[in-house]
Amino acid sequence: MENPNTTQESMKEIEIFGVPALFTKNQIPEDGIYPGMSLYELQGRDGRFMGAVLTPVPIPVLADGPRDLKPGDLVMDTGAGYYTPAEFEEKYLSPDYGGATAERYGKEN
């Protein structure tokens, strides 16, 4: 059963560091993270909040601080659509889902 505290918002599917993810311009509270997903916040150089990203696998972080995005690290226009975290989980983790997604998940940079 899905936690009623987790976000039900439909979010844009993106790719970050070669991993499919969900993006929202809204902040996600700690208790709103969908089970099994990792939350990352995007910040501008000025420290201003730019958006939140949910990934199905953890993204390695750097020991010396935040990880900078380089060209190609963040793909916002994947054409994949909008999903709630539950729909996203179904798309990438269910063997019965009808989409051809296996070649995208975990692809090399």
Side-chain angles (χ1 to χ4, degrees):
M1 185 171 124
E2 190 173 306
N3 180 342
N5 294 329
T6 61
T7 185
Q8 301 299 308
E9 174 187 358
S10 288
M11 300 178 208
K12 183 175 186 168
E13 184 176 353
I14 64 165
E15 232 174 66
I16 186 164
F17 300 113
V19 176
L22 293 174
F23 172 82
T24 179
K25 292 182 180 180
N26 302 315
Q27 289 187 305
I28 299 174
E30 198 68 30
D31 65 349
I33 301 170
Y34 191 81
M37 297 193 88
S38 298
L39 172 66
Y40 301 93
E41 291 188 346
L42 302 179
Q43 296 180 348
R45 292 223 178 258
D46 60 359
R48 192 182 63 186
F49 176 83
M50 302 296 287
V53 174
L54 290 174
T55 63
V57 295
I59 294 174
V61 294
L62 302 177
D64 59 347
R67 190 168 178 180
D68 288 334
L69 291 170
K70 297 178 181 83
D73 287 344
L74 179 65
V75 179
M76 297 291 284
D77 189 21
T78 63
Y82 290 78
Y83 301 94
T84 65
E87 293 166 336
F88 185 78
E89 177 185 50
E90 177 74 12
K91 179 177 180 179
Y92 283 99
L93 300 179
S94 173
D96 299 326
Y97 186 80
T101 59
E103 70 271 7
R104 288 193 62 227
Y105 183 73
K107 79 173 193 184
E108 296 292 322
N109 285 350

